[in-house]
Amino acid sequence: GLPPALPALPLELTVLYNSLLFATGASDSAIQGEAEGIRQGLLRVLEACGACGQGLSTEELWQKVLQEVTAEELQAPLHRLGALQAAWWLAASRLGSAAGLFRLLSNAEDPERAHCSEGENELLYLLKAWRVPAEAASLPLVQSAEDLKEILCTAAAFLQGLQELEAGNFPTALSLLQEAAGGFCSKKVLAQIYTCLGCCAQRMGKPQSALQHLKRALQVDFQCLPALSHVAAVYHELGETEAELQALALLYEALEKKTPAAASSGPYFLIRTELLVHTPILASLLRHRHPSEVKYLLAQRCLRDGRVADAVEHYLDFLALLQEGLQQQVPLDGGSALPRIPEVFLEAASALEQAGRHQDAITVCEEVISRTTDLIPRMLRVEERLEQPECPSPGAGLAGGLLSQKKESLCCLAWRAAGYLHQGWAWAKLGESKEAVTQFSRECLEDAVSRSMCLSVPESLLPEVEVLQKIRLLSLIGRGAQFLELGRHKEALLDFQHGLQILPGDPAAASYLVQALWKLNRKQEAAAHWQKFSQSPAGEDGQQEEQGRPFPLYLVSCLKQATFPHGASLARSIRDYLGTTSRDPSS
């Protein structure tokens, strides 16, 4: 409450500087908000000099102080306080305000040093050009202005590198992050910078450079687990499955151990780089995965790579985690690697089926069927008028909500239908053709799928409808194949014909159709269909690349099982028949 006195201001400003540093360091959390103490200090400086700064913004206040206060004994305390103000502005990503302040500080000493050359980073140039005032021996500081300057330079390079990375300006981001890596920071922050460098290199299409940066991050701080997560992602991009699985296994083991953070071996500073850099993109790049997410990735990658035994083990471990309340531990948002839970169950069923554990696969599918049945409405119409209009209207929110409900209902339909489909193939593998026919004939074949379709489908619902159509086709092929096994050739033929109505030109359905006609002794029709089909892009082997959107992983094994297995022998029989008829037209 005492009025400011010019002789006492150097001491007062130094005490303010130290107290703000102590307050920030004691909280040990990211700097946020305005430094009100600095503002009050500047107002007292102006008051002592006979000026007034009430009503001015903080930037305007600094400009007035640095332009009007010329007392030599106040320059060093004001510069130190200015550096502290810059730290607050950097923490708030107000880089322009920080650059403007250092331009004023440099102008006060040497106007020529306040201007950088074209193409040079202005903030970094101004920070480096700023001459740290000499410290008075009689006024001890808890953190020197020289150390603070080094931290500000590192933080400014790091922050701007992250901004450029988010904006997609990768070469500039790489340069700024490399500048930050050569700066003044702890090993923890240095590992984070190298992790960001790795992510930048990966986005630039330089996976090997990305791996070098990420491995450097782990060398600097072996507890920088996000770097290990990104290593696995780069190996996935390179198609190096073995290396990816090793990285994921190491990540899972490290997450399970929950090793406490190592104490810093370097000098301790109250203002540190990690208190100044806390942007959303950094949080995203350094997101720590939950152990269950990594366990799922291990399961999924093994299943995709055909490592069925390992996939089964990982999926069963993951399903056990579900029983421990996993959904409350991991937010199923866009940042999570986890798909919807029914899809995980279906993938697990697919793995069990491929491992020959057909009864277990049937049990897992029954869980999906029982959980989704009550979520499917008795009537479900999918109509174009539910599409969101381009211009918002009072009913737009309602239409969007209805569309979301339809999408969710279609997903439930697909999951239940896929459950029946997997059960059908599992019973078929067990040699129970009649039970297999029953499962293929359940709601997934007729009622559930047909009631979800209509002539006009909104664009946003096409992926779900396409999956349902594929499941229906696979069910028809599966049931038709079992009818062939049971000698019910006419019923099999109807299923294959129906399948080709759903997806004309499907190679598996076309091949089975030819076989059904052949078994019905309708050889001329069979040969005609075979000739037509063999001239299509699918070719004689019955294989065809899936066009358009990729189908869910849980359907991959069903797609393989639906492939026609007797293509070569059927082709030989038809060629022999055609050769015979060409020599003897009467036959």
Side-chain angles (χ1 to χ4, degrees), residues 480-489 492 496 512 515-516 519:
Q482 296 310 302
F483 281 148
L484 289 177
E485 291 284 331
L486 296 169
R488 296 159 63 178
H489 301 147
F496 302 138
Y512 272 112
Q515 187 187 40
K519 287 182 176 290

Side-chain angles (χ1 to χ4, degrees), residues 295-310:
K295 176 60 72 173
Y296 170 74
L297 284 174
L298 281 165
Q300 183 204 60
R301 301 297 191 257
C302 287
L303 183 58
R304 285 191 187 279
D305 197 51
R307 305 176 188 222
V308 177
D310 291 336

Side-chain angles (χ1 to χ4, degrees), residues 248-374:
L248 288 172
L250 284 172
L251 179 59
Y252 181 76
E253 183 181 351
L255 288 169
E256 282 288 281
K257 286 182 179 178
K258 296 179 181 177
T259 308
S264 175
S265 57
Y268 182 82
F269 295 106
L270 295 170
I271 293 285
R272 305 182 298 283
T273 307
E274 49 265 47
L275 300 183
L276 307 182
V277 185
H278 47 91
T279 63
I281 184 175
L282 182 63
S284 174
L285 294 174
L286 299 180
R287 190 181 78 85
H288 281 265
R289 291 197 180 277
H290 192 276
S292 58
E293 292 182 80
V294 183
K295 176 60 72 173
Y296 170 74
L297 284 174
L298 281 165
Q300 183 204 60
R301 301 297 191 257
C302 287
L303 183 58
R304 285 191 187 279
D305 197 51
R307 305 176 188 222
V308 177
D310 291 336
V312 167
E313 180 183 347
H314 291 309
Y315 274 115
L316 293 180
D317 288 344
F318 181 84
L319 294 183
L321 288 172
L322 284 180
Q323 305 303 317
E324 300 171 8
L326 170 65
Q327 286 170 286
Q328 283 71 47
Q329 301 171 35
V330 183
L332 299 182
D333 54 21
S336 172
L338 299 178
R340 303 291 294 277
I341 296 303
E343 294 188 17
V344 180
F345 271 77
L346 291 168
E347 289 173 16
S350 177
L352 288 164
E353 201 178 325
Q354 292 177 65
R357 297 172 59 173
H358 305 300
Q359 286 290 356
D360 291 334
I362 291 169
T363 302
V364 170
C365 289
E366 194 58 44
E367 181 75 13
V368 176
I369 294 165
S370 63
R371 294 294 183 92
T372 54
T373 295
D374 292 339

Side-chain angles (χ1 to χ4, degrees), residues 194 198 206-219:
Y194 276 119
K206 299 179 177 180
Q208 295 302 332
S209 295
L211 288 174
Q212 289 177 5
H213 290 305
L214 293 169
K215 289 176 181 178
R216 178 67 175 141
L218 291 167
Q219 289 170 355

Side-chain angles (χ1 to χ4, degrees), residues 114-168:
H115 301 284
C116 66
S117 59
E118 188 177 352
E120 197 168 1
N121 185 282
E122 184 183 26
L123 178 55
L124 288 177
Y125 172 83
L126 291 169
L127 271 167
K128 292 174 182 178
W130 172 52
R131 289 176 182 170
V132 178
E135 312 287 1
S138 59
L139 299 175
L141 304 172
V142 295
Q143 184 170 341
S144 72
E146 188 64 52
D147 290 337
L148 186 53
K149 173 183 177 179
E150 294 296 328
I151 289 167
L152 290 176
C153 285
T154 305
F158 196 3
L159 278 167
Q160 291 180 101
L162 289 169
Q163 286 183 348
E164 297 295 339
L165 178 59
E166 189 170 24

